[in-house]
Amino acid sequence: TISELYTEIVAEALFVASEQSVMRGLVRNYTIAGGGKSVEVPIFSTVSAAAVNEATDLSNTAVNPTSVTITASEIGIMTTLTDLARNSSSRNIAADIGKLFGEAIAKKMDQDLTALFDGFSSSIGGAGQELTVDKIFQAVATLRQANVPGPYYGVLNPKVAYNVKKNLTNTFVNPNPNDLTNEALRTGYIGNIAGVQIFESSNVDGTTDTDNCKGAIFSQDALGLAMMQDLKIETQRDASLRADEIVATAVFGVGELHDSYGVELLAESVIN
């Protein structure tokens, strides 16, 4: 029945979306509720205290926060599942469609968030250059100098991350292997460098411009994700077509919150 099909699609799609999204858990999350399709995030600048003399009035310090508005918009995907296709297939078509839709929604969310890396004012590296551990330390120093709170996260295209691993495991460049080197050799996982948790994601675009791939190191408060509606799947019966329309949608928005809380890493996404 259509009710059984609907249940299977929802269960599979929600699981896949949760597993595939990298960026969602690394940024500040907001929920849009109570009407409207945007959320306004107040941003308070740093204030400074000063020494005062006894019996002297303190001068007034103006506190005028700025704000960032994140507006949500719809994304969606739809397909038509015919009765003949569903009944004649040896596979669980409901689960397959759920997997495809869940991955598509999660990928779009990650791509929208990683596209914001290009907006950070601070940038390290350059076109055609390999990313090195030294540049990761430079990015961390930039964040700490700006008093950016941790923890810090790094998100890189897998081919950019490969060049980091290559330099870590190259015995000519690094003649004295350490725990980080050994972990990269054993599992291929970079792990934690300079206090930064490194993640690899193909949703960091490394194909459009292979010489100028844009990853980043950032604090959680650098970027925001505002959810108005999480992944939702609906079906509609078309009796004359002998089929069901299956529609997956989500409503969310992304935005940069603190420009100084992130550093863009420019590097080539080429394996040499």
Side-chain angles (χ1 to χ4, degrees):
T1 64
I2 190 63
S3 61
E4 292 171 343
L5 176 66
Y6 174 78
T7 301
E8 290 174 354
I9 291 171
V10 171
E12 178 71 11
L14 289 175
F15 172 78
V16 174
S18 176
E19 289 294 309
Q20 294 295 323
S21 181
V22 172
M23 289 293 298
R24 187 172 183 175
L26 306 182
V27 303
R28 184 63 61 187
N29 282 245
Y30 301 95
T31 300
I32 300 175
K37 60 178 182 180
S38 62
V39 59
E40 187 173 4
V41 183
I43 308 295
F44 287 87
S45 60
T46 302
V47 296
S48 299
V52 294
N53 295 324
E54 185 178 355
T56 301
D57 277 343
L58 292 169
S59 59
N60 187 58
T61 299
V63 178
N64 297 312
T66 58
S67 66
V68 173
T69 299
I70 303 177
T71 302
S73 60
E74 284 186 297
I75 63 168
I77 182 172
M78 187 271 284
T79 193
T80 300
L81 177 61
T82 65
D83 293 347
L84 183 61
R86 182 183 59 195
N87 296 333
S88 62
S89 176
S90 60
R91 292 182 55 83
N92 187 338
I93 295 295
D96 288 346
I97 292 174
K99 184 176 190 299
L100 289 172
F101 282 8
E103 287 179 341
I105 296 289
K107 182 175 182 178
K108 175 61 175 171
M109 188 179 297
D110 267 23
Q111 288 175 334
D112 286 358
L113 285 165
T114 57
L116 297 175
F117 294 165
D118 196 30
F120 291 140
S121 297
S122 296
S123 181
I124 290 175
Q129 298 179 15
E130 290 189 358
L131 182 64
T132 62
V133 173
D134 175 67
K135 291 173 183 175
I136 294 175
F137 272 91
Q138 289 180 41
V140 171
T142 301
L143 294 176
R144 289 180 175 164
Q145 178 64 31
N147 297 315
V148 177
Y152 299 156
Y153 305 109
V155 179
L156 308 172
N157 180 277
K159 290 185 178 180
V160 174
Y162 162 79
N163 288 322
V164 177
K165 299 172 191 176
K166 180 181 70 174
N167 282 277
L168 278 172
T169 58
N170 187 329
T171 56
F172 292 98
V173 176
N174 184 17
N176 299 307
N178 50 37
D179 289 342
L180 186 61
T181 300
N182 292 332
E183 185 66 17
L185 284 169
R186 283 194 301 266
T187 67
Y189 176 60
I190 299 178
N192 192 303
I193 298 178
V196 178
Q197 298 178 53
I198 304 294
F199 296 85
E200 298 178 40
S201 174
S202 60
N203 291 328
V204 178
D205 186 14
T207 57
T208 302
D209 187 347
T210 56
D211 283 335
N212 200 22
C213 186
K214 300 174 176 66
I217 290 176
F218 55 93
S219 168
Q220 184 180 38
D221 289 329
L223 305 174
L225 169 67
M227 295 295 305
M228 185 174 178
Q229 173 207 296
D230 212 331
L231 174 64
K232 181 175 72 174
I233 295 184
E234 298 178 286
T235 61
Q236 178 172 297
R237 180 67 181 171
D238 188 333
S240 63
L241 189 61
R242 291 94 58 213
D244 298 303
E245 287 185 352
I246 304 170
V247 179
T249 59
V251 185
F252 65 86
V254 301
E256 180 185 286
L257 302 179
H258 286 274
D259 181 65
S260 62
Y261 279 23
V263 176
E264 180 184 46
L265 295 176
L266 296 179
E268 66 174 12
S269 58
V270 177
I271 294 179
N272 296 316

